[in-house]
Amino acid sequence: MLDKVKELDQEIKQFDINTPEQLELFRMKFISRKGVITELFEGLKSVPQADRRTVGQELNGLKNLAQERFETFSQLIDEQRTTANSAPPVDLTLPTIPNLTGTQHPLSLVRQRIIQIFERIGFNVADGPEIESDWYNFGALNFPDNHPARDMQDTFFVEKTSEGASSDMLLRTHTSNVQIRLMERQKPPIRSIMPGRVYRNETISARAHCMFHQVEGIYIDRNVGFKDLKDTLYHFVKEMFEPGTQIRFRPSYFPFTEPSAEIDISCQICGGKGCNICKHSGWVEIAGSGMVDPQVIANCGIDPEEYTGFAFGMGIERITQLKYVVNDLRLYTENDVRFLRQFEGL
Ligand code: DAH
């Protein structure tokens, strides 16, 4: 009997337990009620009385050993199983999970491009308030109080004051207010562009909106002439639009420039042949411009006898429409991802 116990003791210590299957074999052989140890306990009855106590102790030792080993290994195997589950094998052939980081808004793309073009020829970027006084939006730009030119730019008034019309507060109708603020603050040479949001009292439709964006430009220095205005805008059009785009200056009127011109380019959609976008004329207007009126320069405390300059203002929505064929202004603010996703990667 004792020899048998010794033999089993060895066997238990050397039993290979690496897998759940081996653990189960171990359990059946040594732990279960049909196992060898239970069998030996049953044989204890036939051991002579004198030896029974020693043999019983040996048997108990064997039973404990088997139980201990069983517990240690079932814990180990459990651990192996959970770590295997939390780190599944990597399949390098699976397609990647797309990294959806969103896209730049088309108006941001175009604004950035405009800034880049002008920065390269020495313009810096300036900013001004969207809630503005009547003086900066109209008065200083030579719009007299009851002048009809104001009718074209009806807007939202934020505050009527008792100090006279020029201190009424309104949402600016154009970025030209920043021209005035710059000329008041800085000595020439001034060479800046001023992108920003503007507002008008318009019914929202495919062609009009109560909020849109402009980029203003101004260059004030000694001996700045109309030729400089033309060269600058020719350069801009060449950089911004398709090669071969035609440009024309059409005489116009703005209260704050003299002479004034509107700038048209050949239609980017039909190439100048005539379509809905260009109203079958082959040309689309992209900007207003002109030589800054000496009175406006004087309004800002700069001597118009010494300094001259040009200014221009263009609509970012219009340029985006021509570049990306966006024919409904409302698309820019509706946040429809089917529209926005088309600008992915640009
Ligand atoms: N502010 C004008 C508008 O919104 C555009 C404009 C015309 C700006 C001529 C200028 C300019 O700077 O010189 O219609």
Side-chain angles (χ1 to χ4, degrees):
M1 188 85 157
L2 282 177
D3 284 344
K4 184 75 183 157
V5 171
K6 253 202 188 118
E7 196 185 300
L8 285 177
D9 183 283
Q10 282 303 310
E11 203 182 324
I12 288 170
K13 283 178 180 155
Q14 284 163 7
F15 202 99
D16 252 344
I17 312 176
N18 297 315
T19 63
E21 289 76 15
Q22 287 169 335
L23 182 71
E24 177 60 6
L25 282 179
F26 183 89
R27 189 189 68 80
M28 295 214 306
K29 181 151 190 194
F30 301 107
I31 313 280
S32 84
R33 279 203 275 125
K34 287 177 190 149
V36 281
I37 298 180
T38 323
E39 206 177 295
L40 283 182
F41 270 109
E42 271 156 18
L44 204 55
K45 287 183 240 117
S46 45
V47 172
Q49 186 73 39
D51 298 330
R52 212 175 273 166
R53 194 182 155 84
T54 351
V55 177
Q57 273 172 356
E58 291 292 322
L59 265 181
N60 269 328
L62 189 71
K63 187 181 165 195
N64 290 342
L65 175 73
Q67 193 61 37
E68 245 170 59
R69 272 184 82 80
F70 178 73
E71 270 161 23
T72 318
F73 280 99
S74 38
Q75 214 172 27
L76 254 170
I77 283 172
D78 257 350
E79 266 167 31
Q80 274 171 11
R81 195 179 286 150
T82 47
T83 49
N85 283 347
S86 62
V90 179
D91 183 351
L92 295 174
T93 65
L94 284 175
T96 56
I97 298 163
N99 185 11
L100 296 173
T101 50
T103 61
Q104 291 224 69
H105 194 279
L107 295 176
S108 301
L109 288 168
V110 168
R111 188 192 59 218
Q112 279 162 18
R113 178 71 185 132
I114 295 172
I115 291 174
Q116 187 184 50
I117 293 169
F118 282 105
E119 272 184 344
R120 285 182 183 165
I121 54 171
F123 284 75
N124 62 18
V125 180
D127 201 4
E130 290 174 26
I131 300 174
E132 188 55 290
S133 72
D134 185 288
W135 169 252
Y136 285 102
N137 193 79
F138 292 125
L141 289 155
N142 268 351
F143 287 80
D145 272 359
N146 293 308
H147 195 277
R150 288 182 175 228
D151 290 350
M152 309 271 292
Q153 304 195 2
D154 187 20
T155 183
F156 304 96
F157 286 81
V158 176
E159 200 183 336
K160 288 255 182 206
T161 62
S162 51
E163 296 149 40
S166 67
S167 37
D168 286 350
M169 297 302 287
L170 45 81
L171 297 187
R172 68 174 177 192
T173 58
H174 49 188
T175 41
S176 304
N177 65 324
V178 197
Q179 288 187 26
I180 305 299
R181 291 186 169 275
L182 269 186
M183 284 193 284
E184 277 182 351
R185 264 204 321 262
Q186 281 177 34
K187 281 192 168 17
I190 297 168
R191 194 157 49 190
S192 298
I193 54 165
M194 302 142 253
R197 235 188 314 252
V198 302
Y199 304 84
R200 297 205 188 165
N201 186 7
E202 301 264 2
T203 305
I204 297 174
S205 71
R207 324 183 104 252
H209 209 289
C210 59
M211 185 279 295
F212 55 99
H213 299 78
Q214 291 188 336
V215 178
E216 195 81 10
I218 192 168
Y219 179 24
I220 306 281
D221 201 355
R222 293 192 178 89
N223 303 318
V224 178
F226 201 85
K227 174 186 179 298
D228 301 304
L229 168 62
K230 288 186 87 170
D231 280 346
T232 305
L233 288 167
Y234 277 146
H235 173 76
F236 168 73
V237 169
K238 209 177 94 220
E239 292 290 302
M240 190 76 201
F241 296 103
E242 296 296 310
T245 299
Q246 302 285 303
I247 180 170
R248 75 177 185 190
F249 279 71
R250 192 164 29 80
S252 185
Y253 169 77
F254 299 101
F256 44 97
T257 45
E258 181 59 35
S260 305
E262 275 171 297
I263 296 140
D264 298 341
I265 60 168
S266 51
C267 181
Q268 302 290 293
I269 314 297
C270 63
K273 288 191 203 74
C275 67
N276 278 342
I277 305 297
C278 60
K279 299 197 197 101
H280 302 281
S281 69
W283 296 94
V284 264
E285 181 207 320
I286 59 158
S289 70
M291 300 306 295
V292 181
D293 193 299
Q295 182 61 50
V296 174
I297 296 182
N299 286 346
C300 303
I302 295 173
D303 181 3
E305 296 296 328
E306 189 177 355
Y307 293 104
T308 53
F310 66 77
F312 57 86
M314 53 182 106
I316 301 185
E317 277 79 356
R318 171 58 63 84
I319 291 172
T320 311
Q321 174 194 32
L322 294 173
K323 242 186 124 57
Y324 298 120
V325 201
V326 180
N327 286 333
D328 190 326
L329 272 173
R330 292 168 293 196
L331 284 167
Y332 293 125
T333 44
E334 279 172 348
N335 275 346
D336 186 335
V337 289
R338 290 168 303 181
F339 170 67
L340 297 172
R341 277 200 192 119
Q342 295 177 50
F343 300 90
E344 213 161 318
L346 290 182

